[in-house]
Amino acid sequence: MADTLPPLSLYIHTPWCVRKCPYCDFNSHEPGTHGFTPRDLPESAYLKALLQDLDSDLVLAAGREIQTIFIGGGTPSLLSPAFYDRLLSEIEARLPFANGIEITLEANPGTTEQARFIGYRNAGINRLSLGIQSFQPDQLHALGRIHSGDEAITAVAQARQAGFTNINIDLMHGLPGQTPQLAMDDIAQALSLAPEHLSWYQLTLEPNTAFHSHPPTLPEEEALWDIQDSGHQLLEKAGFKRYEISAYATTNQQSRHNLNYWQFGDYLGIGAGAHGKLSHIDQNGEWRIERRWKTRQPDAYLKRMDDLRGFIAGKQVIKAYELPLEFAMNALRLIEGVTLETWKANTGLSSDMLLMRLQTAEKKGLLMQMPEKLRASPQGLLFLNELLALISED
Ligand SMILES: C[S@@+](CC[C@H](N)C(=O)[O-])C[C@H]1O[C@@H](n2cnc3c(N)ncnc32)[C@H](O)[C@@H]1O
Ligand code: SF4
């Protein structure tokens, strides 16, 4: 097992959106149903709650430096620069920030303007992730987005003018009514804005979403393959290297925060429904990895400020037999895979046992490059769940 603590990140969740998108199963809520308007969110109460929430996790992280912070949602860009200015200084007063810390904020182009971006930059946020999804009016309409393609283009220009030198664009593909050509047009438009990073997700119909109960007509299987293949080539040709199933970056511009998840690093999670994973040595000198998650509904989360139970909705120590699956679920998403040494250090699985399982996966064509490095084959990336089930069999 590993004998040093892995790098530590911090995830901060903001649970509100102007309008719930029909495909989205993230913990995001329209504030109108809770008595607030999107521009009148309970900022000071949420700030107080986040800090109290962090304070209750500090015992597991005291003395450690934060390498990256990711402010996700929901729509974090609904909250003001002043909110983040206070929040980040209060966090730094509790946990030191590493030199060169990466601080990302997710922004929806329907909620931004120049002054906001300048304020975020001044508050210390140094990476923006813009949820654009598509530039085409028909696709944006089908996805229930609150912005146009032109507004998305303006948002990128304004972010650049505000001084952001590290920008991610989120695009989705396999959208209702989308032809391979339209999907390539979206990528070409995104590339013309010269982002440092591009996340390119295939639309999935998630349970408990409007799209799940009323599924839209999606492109045929063959068109989906075509989109995947041509999109991948277009991105690689433009210098965007695929380093995870859906993540592409220019040189040295990978998301350090997401890499820490995929490399099985530690992270604190604060805010409604946030998840954390922390390694520590317990009172008996034993190495433990604990997962904890916070109360999910925004109103209930806020009420926990005055509740002796605190914000934690559940926690669980990861058992030794669960480690291979937990580790694999993250590491095998990485295109480069992981070394066998890293695998053993993180899971404690003896190499005989591990090799046997890996050989089976390799025979099925789901894994490649054994034994020095483990890496999902192109087939394995497509059928990751099957690969994970094989590796984690009891
Ligand atoms: C939590 S959202 C954050 C961005 C911001 N809330 C917005 O939408 O503008 C993260 C990203 O996940 C992707 N996403 C959400 N639901 C998805 C789904 N069902 N299938 C594929 N990608 C999805 C979208 O690209 C989205 O930008
Ligand atoms: S804006 Fe983003 S988080 Fe909010 S509902 Fe849409 S995809 Fe989900």
Side-chain angles (χ1 to χ4, degrees):
M1 295 290 289
D3 47 12
T4 50
L5 289 169
L8 178 68
S9 292
L10 169 66
Y11 175 75
I12 305 171
H13 192 75
T14 65
W16 298 287
C17 289
V18 175
R19 193 162 78 205
K20 182 82 185 174
C21 303
Y23 54 85
C24 176
D25 78 336
F26 285 82
N27 184 27
S28 57
H29 307 263
E30 291 182 13
T33 48
H34 301 260
F36 317 113
T37 67
R39 280 286 181 221
D40 177 28
L41 293 169
E43 285 198 353
S44 50
Y46 202 59
L47 177 71
K48 198 167 154 214
L50 286 173
L51 295 172
Q52 210 172 300
D53 184 352
L54 178 62
D55 285 339
S56 62
D57 278 352
L58 280 185
V59 54
L60 293 179
R64 295 177 67 180
E65 270 190 348
I66 309 185
Q67 307 294 328
T68 67
I69 298 180
F70 194 98
I71 306 163
T75 304
S77 51
L78 282 175
L79 295 159
S80 70
F83 170 86
Y84 290 112
D85 195 39
R86 261 297 293 291
L87 178 64
L88 292 172
S89 0
E90 292 281 353
I91 293 172
E92 196 174 7
R94 289 160 169 82
L95 283 170
F97 287 4
N99 268 340
I101 186 171
E102 173 192 277
I103 307 182
T104 306
L105 176 123
E106 280 184 338
N108 180 318
T111 62
T112 51
E113 76 247 335
Q114 182 77 32
R116 250 181 196 236
F117 283 136
I118 294 172
Y120 292 150
R121 189 73 198 83
N122 291 339
I125 290 158
N126 53 23
R127 184 170 183 271
L128 268 191
S129 176
L130 286 162
I132 291 180
Q133 325 308 349
S134 173
F135 293 93
Q136 318 289 339
D138 289 350
Q139 271 67 56
L140 288 169
H141 178 71
L143 294 175
R145 299 293 295 179
I146 56 165
H147 55 85
S148 66
D150 283 348
E151 279 165 337
I153 293 169
T154 305
V156 178
Q158 289 179 334
R160 286 279 184 228
Q161 276 161 24
F164 281 96
T165 54
N166 197 352
I167 296 180
N168 168 59
I169 289 181
D170 277 349
L171 281 187
M172 292 198 293
H173 62 279
L175 306 177
Q178 191 178 50
T179 59
Q181 185 56 52
L182 284 171
M184 293 316 106
D185 290 350
D186 271 346
I187 294 182
Q189 177 63 264
L191 290 175
S192 76
L193 302 171
E196 281 66 33
H197 190 284
L198 209 142
S199 299
W200 195 49
Y201 302 107
Q202 181 168 64
L203 174 66
T204 50
L205 301 186
E206 303 290 343
N208 303 318
T209 61
F211 270 9
H212 198 261
S213 26
H214 303 286
T217 310
L218 298 180
E220 300 285 336
E221 193 80 355
E222 204 174 312
L224 288 176
W225 284 113
D226 191 358
I227 292 175
Q228 286 269 15
D229 233 36
S230 322
H232 178 65
Q233 284 179 36
L234 190 56
L235 284 163
E236 294 267 335
K237 222 169 102 196
F240 281 74
K241 194 163 177 333
R242 184 185 189 203
Y243 67 100
E244 187 265 347
I245 293 183
S246 309
Y248 295 77
T250 52
T251 313
N252 296 328
Q253 300 288 359
Q254 291 95 342
S255 157
R256 282 168 46 205
H257 186 86
N258 287 340
L259 271 180
N260 192 40
Y261 290 148
W262 297 323
Q263 291 168 343
F264 214 47
D266 275 357
Y267 49 96
L268 291 156
I270 59 170
H275 284 239
K277 168 205 167 245
L278 284 160
S279 314
H280 62 286
I281 313 283
D282 71 8
Q283 294 126 330
N284 307 321
E286 302 267 331
W287 183 265
R288 281 157 78 96
I289 300 179
E290 182 183 301
R291 288 200 180 281
R292 44 173 70 179
W293 51 96
K294 308 296 170 55
T295 302
R296 196 173 152 85
Q297 293 298 323
D299 293 350
Y301 177 83
L302 283 169
K303 284 200 188 114
R304 290 290 186 108
M305 257 192 295
D306 309 310
D307 188 323
L308 284 177
R309 288 174 296 171
F311 299 89
I312 300 174
K315 53 183 175 181
Q316 196 177 40
V317 172
I318 304 181
K319 312 222 170 34
Y321 73 86
E322 293 169 325
L323 274 173
L325 179 63
E326 291 268 343
F327 182 73
M329 270 167 56
N330 291 289
L332 290 180
R333 300 182 67 88
L334 292 168
I335 306 299
E336 290 288 317
V338 274
T339 62
L340 203 54
E341 275 316 302
T342 316
W343 187 289
K344 277 193 266 175
N346 278 283
T347 66
L349 204 61
S350 82
S351 51
D352 285 354
M353 226 153 87
L354 180 59
L355 283 175
M356 232 166 55
R357 293 177 187 181
L358 300 177
Q359 272 160 7
T360 316
E362 199 192 12
K363 276 193 200 123
K364 292 198 165 200
L366 299 172
L367 204 70
M368 45 190 223
Q369 283 211 1
M370 285 181 58
E372 318 80 33
K373 207 164 185 193
L374 303 173
R375 164 175 169 180
S377 65
Q379 191 74 356
L381 287 172
L382 284 172
F383 300 101
L384 198 59
N385 286 343
E386 194 183 322
L387 172 57
L388 295 176
L390 264 179
I391 292 171
S392 60
E393 259 167 16
D394 283 333

